[in-house]
Amino acid sequence: RSGSAAGARLPVPAGVLAMFREQEQAEAALDDSSRHGGRLRAFPHERGSWATYVYLPYEAPEEFTELLELVVRHARAYAAPLAPMDDFHVSLSQSVVLRYHWINPFVQSLKERLASFHRFFCLADQVKVYTNQNKTRTFIGLEVSTGHFQLLELVSEVDRVMEEFDLPTFYKDPSFHISLAWCVGDLTSRLEGQCLQELQDIVDKFEDSAHLLRIQWEQIRCKSGNKYFSFPLR
């Protein structure tokens, strides 16, 4: 056929158009900071890309929750919007982006690199104030004062896996810590100085804090999107 009839195209069904609009709206919601307490993503959501990081999980006992409440309540006098963390861990990597088809080989490489490591203890008892790289969030954390060498050894192996996949390695001279609470913005000036000293006094005087904050690590985890992978220590 020839002419305009040959070049005519059938309209896309309304149901198909609506399907893609719903998908786009769902993906846009992932970047909506109002749905995440004002938090901003470190990198934009992209279909087929999975935010990934490696860490040591800390299953907090009831006594730790009591200490957390004391710290947060006191710190709010200096930085009102502080909120307690939902979970606790020590990071062994930055948050990186993995394509979906890289996840299994990435996890397998981690498993091989970390297979020889034994369980060990850390003491996380030094209160410190942190910000993220973009200074869009501020954190109060407990810095590790004992066990730093073992953590560096773990990071060295995790970094090798990152390099295999051409991903960013961990920070130079890292301050390993467990984040306790966070708020939007850079509130470092409010929390450091007198507030920080008062928070340290709370931790030091908390009943049995020396035992509570001496943590035995038994496994390493990797979170990629909504998937979790565990690597038991020997």
Side-chain angles (χ1 to χ4, degrees), residues 18-205:
M19 176 182 68
F20 286 107
R21 279 199 297 270
E22 290 174 2
Q23 185 173 3
E24 289 169 359
Q25 289 168 357
E27 291 176 352
L30 293 174
D31 291 330
D32 184 356
S33 63
S34 66
R35 294 179 176 229
H36 308 285
R39 289 173 289 182
L40 299 174
R41 294 176 62 93
F43 35 79
H45 172 73
E46 181 181 344
R47 197 179 309 171
S49 296
W50 294 53
T52 303
Y53 66 99
V54 183
Y55 62 100
L56 290 160
Y58 176 47
E59 303 296 334
E62 184 177 346
E63 296 85 352
F64 185 85
T65 304
E66 294 173 7
L67 175 59
L68 173 66
E69 290 175 353
L70 288 174
V71 168
V72 172
R73 188 184 311 129
H74 191 83
R76 280 176 176 164
Y78 294 85
L82 272 169
M85 301 295 293
D86 296 325
D87 61 82
F88 308 100
H89 64 270
V90 170
S91 295
L92 299 176
S93 78
Q94 297 192 58
S95 289
V96 299
V97 177
L98 272 182
R99 302 298 293 178
Y100 180 78
H101 60 277
W102 287 354
I103 295 175
N104 286 339
F106 180 85
V107 169
Q108 182 60 35
S109 187
L110 276 177
K111 182 179 179 180
E112 294 169 0
R113 289 281 185 186
L114 301 173
S116 63
F117 282 91
H118 292 263
R119 299 178 183 183
F120 65 100
F121 285 94
C122 278
L123 184 62
D125 61 350
Q126 300 299 304
V127 184
K128 194 167 180 179
V129 178
Y130 299 89
T131 61
N132 61 357
Q133 286 182 301
N134 298 327
K135 297 190 180 299
T136 57
R137 284 199 286 167
T138 303
F139 300 85
I140 294 175
L142 289 175
E143 185 180 34
V144 170
S145 60
T146 302
H148 190 84
F149 176 75
Q150 291 93 328
L151 292 170
L152 285 176
E153 286 189 316
L154 286 175
V155 166
S156 177
E157 294 303 318
V158 174
D159 277 352
R160 291 188 180 188
V161 177
M162 295 294 179
E163 290 170 347
E164 288 178 27
F165 291 83
D166 197 26
L167 296 169
T169 55
F170 204 42
Y171 310 106
K172 292 183 179 180
D173 302 320
S175 172
F176 297 106
H177 63 279
I178 298 173
S179 292
L180 301 178
W182 68 278
C183 59
V184 174
D186 182 1
L187 300 185
T188 306
S189 60
R190 296 192 200 177
L191 293 170
E192 288 186 336
Q194 181 178 347
C195 177
L196 188 61
Q197 183 56 58
E198 292 170 358
L199 295 178
Q200 186 66 59
D201 289 342
I202 290 173
V203 171
D204 292 342
K205 294 175 182 178

